[in-house]
Amino acid sequence: MKYEPIIGLEIHVQLKTKTKMFCGCAAHDQGVPPNTNVCPICLGHPGVLPVPNEAAIRYGVLMGLALNCTIAAHSKFDRKNYFYPDLPKAYQISQYDLPIAINGSVEIDVPGGEREHVTIGITRAHLEEDAAKSFHTHDGSTCVDFNRGGTPLVEIVTEPDFRSSKEAKVFLQELRLIARYLGVSDADMEKGHLRCDANVSLRRLDEKGDVVGERFNPKTEVKNLNSFRHVERAIEFEIARQTHLWESDTPPLISTTRGWNDTRGITEEQRSKEEAADYRYFPEPDIPPLALTEIADEMRMKLPELPSARRVRFATEYGLKPSDARQICDDPALADFVEAVFSELDSWLRALPEMEGLDEEALIKERGKLANLVSGWLLSKLMGLMMDRGIDIRTSKISPENFAEFITLIASRKINNTTGLTILSSMLDNGDDPSHIMEDKQLGRMDDASELAEIVSRVLAENPAEVLRYQAGEEQLLKLFIGLVMKSTEGTADAALTKNILLVKLKAE
Ligand code: ADP
Ligand code: ZN
Ligand code: MG
């Protein structure tokens, strides 16, 4: 019997607003002592009134739109009751039956996966306040820091549409990127900006791949996964654990909640899943209902180009390979850089005399050639040089204008790969423009035929034995001669011209 994993995710994204969800306290806990960003509202003192943060509502709506959701015309907040030290009011203000956004979808590509292109349904997205952070000291007491208490979150619930841990991970990475493109969250999992619960169940399939028995079976919810690795490992573990249960004829009969123990690499039973009724949800009486139509219209205008659209555009408009376009668009700053580089290159291309009278199609073709140079020099060479120096595109001294000019020098063969690398390093270290460096260091291509011919003659005269061997049939020695010419010209010799001169001279000798 084959078992198919069914997976759904619940994700909390911390919104990057200045203030908390329902009070004026600063909404960050970086670099401040515990329990300083607090006030009577977020500490849940009696008689205080929560006031919803409009910026958080806008961010939530923007997120809903980016996930292709319908934004609710009318929404409201509810109280979710539970008793725990990290929740001073003994209820969390959340949303129950009227979330801000419903019925969305996100498309992901899973290269090498069993399904390469997957659409994930988004059940809902709602706003809520975060709980405080509790931690345990070495002497066994528990401390609570209320700085995080009341900070705004958007919770996103997906349909059970994933069929592998890889799909879940790719989706989370896409969600992180979307949040960053929107500027609503840094969505850094390590810093707890993005937290995930994974729901996993199995179902049996017959040989034809049809479902045997119930459409869905009781699931296990694995709580609080806070790195992509944990998400992947926890899901893999659950699939293995549940497969074993099915194979021993003891499939899970009820839904349960488990926690991920990363040290042991296992999930551990926590408690039976609470029914929604346990939370005794009821409408928050202190906050009027929300009318969202106007905000939704406004945010729709502000919706930036999303990563998926940008990838497609970088491939079609600039002629970048889809995999290169993906790598570039995964970093918004790098994508902006590349965008500026292509705009420079376009002006350069259009001004070339040989482009005169040529149509748009010819331009696209030329742009495609440049695209290969850009991705090659950017993704392998420049990235490597920056990595060596511990910097990235945000902190580097290379401007898009200078990088574009560098590409034109390569494209017009004024410099070659060897000198190119020298110039690029120098650009990175000094922020100079490449033509300037080329002239300064005399790294321009040497294509003076008579000068090159002299150097070739000298190289051949210095290596008589190799010349004889070449003439006796060892033609691969040509590479050695080219290398020696390159060496004596510090890499500036025009390779094609050098080869031609060598071939002529070797024949004549
Ligand atoms: P609960 O009642 O436990 O909150 P929901 O129906 O609200 O469950 O779903 C919560 C999450 O669990 C969603 O992401 C959903 O896609 C996922 N889910 C629901 N049923 C299953 C199932 N049988 N197997 C795996 N995931 C599931
Ligand atoms: Zn406060
Ligand atoms: Mg639920």
Side-chain angles (χ1 to χ4, degrees):
M1 190 68 78
K2 229 186 125 195
Y3 297 95
E4 180 182 41
I6 304 292
I7 304 156
L9 300 179
E10 294 165 281
I11 304 118
H12 286 97
V13 181
Q14 198 175 84
L15 297 174
K16 211 163 72 172
T17 53
K18 286 198 188 71
T19 56
K20 291 189 181 181
M21 189 67 229
F22 299 109
C23 64
C25 292
H28 66 85
D29 54 5
Q30 307 294 308
V32 289
N35 295 310
T36 46
N37 289 342
V38 292
C39 75
I41 296 175
C42 55
L43 289 178
H45 290 193
V48 296
L49 269 185
V51 178
N53 180 342
E54 200 175 318
I57 295 173
R58 282 167 195 276
Y59 281 179
V61 167
L62 201 56
M63 194 71 186
L65 289 171
L67 303 177
N68 297 303
C69 288
T70 304
I71 304 301
H74 299 283
S75 182
K76 70 172 168 67
F77 287 101
D78 298 277
R79 291 186 179 181
K80 177 180 178 179
N81 296 277
Y82 68 92
F83 189 70
Y84 204 72
D86 64 7
L87 196 66
K89 300 193 293 291
Y91 62 82
Q92 176 192 29
I93 306 180
S94 179
Q95 298 195 285
Y96 186 52
D97 53 344
L98 290 177
I100 54 169
I102 55 166
N103 285 343
S105 66
V106 172
E107 313 221 336
I108 50 167
D109 289 315
V110 192
E114 220 168 285
R115 308 188 297 172
E116 296 225 317
H117 188 81
V118 189
T119 303
I120 303 300
I122 303 295
T123 316
R124 57 185 277 155
H126 70 248
L127 289 166
E128 61 186 28
E129 56 177 341
D130 206 349
K133 213 186 265 176
S134 50
F135 43 92
H136 309 281
T137 63
H138 52 271
D139 64 4
S141 48
T142 296
C143 299
V144 187
D145 177 4
F146 288 92
N147 284 346
R148 197 185 70 182
T151 54
L153 300 176
V154 60
E155 176 173 343
I156 295 151
V157 181
T158 78
E159 290 292 299
D161 286 344
F162 304 95
R163 297 292 175 267
S164 70
S165 60
K166 177 92 186 284
E167 290 177 5
K169 182 176 144 187
V170 168
F171 171 84
L172 272 181
Q173 287 169 335
E174 188 70 4
L175 190 65
R176 171 178 66 175
L177 197 57
I178 290 172
R180 289 179 179 173
Y181 268 56
L182 298 177
V184 304
S185 175
D186 292 333
D188 199 332
M189 280 197 99
E190 258 126 67
K191 293 192 179 133
H193 303 151
L194 187 69
R195 287 168 261 158
C196 177
D197 303 336
N199 298 271
V200 184
S201 67
L202 297 184
R203 64 182 180 187
R204 288 176 296 170
L205 298 181
D206 62 21
E207 296 87 65
K208 284 188 288 168
D210 290 333
V211 180
V212 179
E214 301 295 319
R215 192 163 102 88
F216 291 132
N217 294 302
K219 66 183 164 68
T220 293
E221 177 177 3
V222 187
K223 288 283 209 193
N224 276 326
L225 299 164
N226 43 27
S227 80
F228 294 108
R229 214 181 102 261
H230 292 186
V231 172
E232 227 179 354
R233 288 183 73 201
I235 293 174
E236 283 304 319
F237 179 86
E238 264 313 301
I239 293 172
R241 187 184 71 86
Q242 292 183 28
T243 301
H244 180 73
L245 289 175
W246 279 93
E247 283 174 347
S248 346
D249 255 347
T250 54
L253 296 176
I254 50 162
S255 290
T256 51
T257 303
R258 297 175 77 87
W260 173 245
N261 183 328
D262 194 52
T263 327
R264 298 180 58 197
I266 59 167
T267 62
E268 296 166 323
E269 170 105 49
Q270 287 188 328
R271 64 199 138 104
S272 280
K273 175 80 196 161
E274 325 82 344
E275 292 300 308
D278 281 351
Y279 288 129
R280 292 181 297 113
Y281 276 104
F282 64 85
E284 165 61 61
D286 291 338
I287 303 176
L290 303 169
L292 294 177
T293 309
E294 233 173 85
I295 291 185
D297 289 344
E298 191 189 319
M299 297 327 279
R300 212 169 270 122
M301 309 292 289
K302 290 202 174 137
L303 200 60
E305 183 180 39
L306 293 172
S308 52
R310 201 173 202 190
R311 283 180 202 120
V312 172
R313 184 168 62 81
F314 274 31
T316 53
E317 198 172 301
Y318 301 149
L320 285 164
K321 273 196 290 177
S323 56
D324 290 341
R326 169 169 291 272
Q327 193 185 338
I328 291 166
C329 292
D330 274 351
D331 179 348
L334 189 62
D336 290 345
F337 182 87
V338 167
E339 191 124 37
V341 167
F342 274 103
S343 135
E344 294 288 327
L345 287 176
D346 225 40
S347 320
W348 176 75
L349 261 184
R350 283 176 200 276
L352 286 181
E354 56 265 38
M355 292 304 294
E356 187 144 0
L358 289 184
D359 54 7
E360 209 50 30
E361 209 170 303
L363 190 71
I364 290 173
K365 206 164 146 225
E366 289 309 310
R367 223 191 258 137
K369 287 187 204 155
L370 288 178
N372 286 334
L373 289 180
V374 168
S375 55
W377 281 97
L378 182 74
L379 296 179
S380 38
K381 308 276 176 31
L382 183 61
M383 289 300 206
L385 292 172
M386 290 196 299
M387 200 113 73
D388 294 342
R389 289 161 174 76
I391 55 176
D392 70 7
I393 202 75
R394 287 168 194 76
T395 45
S396 107
K397 286 188 183 139
I398 290 195
S399 68
E401 293 76 20
N402 284 351
F403 188 75
E405 187 183 343
F406 171 78
I407 294 295
T408 66
L409 293 177
I410 296 271
S412 50
R413 299 184 47 237
K414 292 213 173 79
I415 54 178
N416 60 31
N417 290 354
T418 316
T419 50
L421 208 53
T422 311
I423 290 176
L424 199 59
S425 308
S426 181
M427 288 164 72
L428 210 47
D429 293 331
N430 311 315
D432 263 355
D433 73 87
S435 310
H436 192 207
I437 300 170
M438 181 179 85
E439 277 152 31
D440 217 38
K441 300 197 172 177
Q442 298 186 320
L443 288 173
R445 171 169 55 122
M446 205 186 113
D447 54 2
D448 179 329
S450 62
E451 204 178 325
L452 263 182
E454 256 173 56
I455 296 171
V456 167
S457 298
R458 199 184 69 231
V459 163
L460 296 183
E462 283 168 4
N463 298 277
E466 283 74 13
V467 171
L468 285 177
R469 277 167 55 203
Y470 175 88
Q471 283 159 345
E474 284 187 56
E475 294 193 351
Q476 72 275 18
L477 282 169
L478 185 64
K479 279 209 189 93
L480 170 87
F481 298 131
I482 294 178
L484 289 171
V485 174
M486 282 295 172
K487 201 168 161 199
S488 65
T489 58
E490 289 174 41
T492 58
D494 183 285
L497 188 57
T498 304
K499 190 174 160 191
N500 282 341
I501 297 175
L502 270 166
L503 287 174
V504 171
K505 293 219 175 227
L506 282 165
K507 224 179 200 167
E509 290 259 335

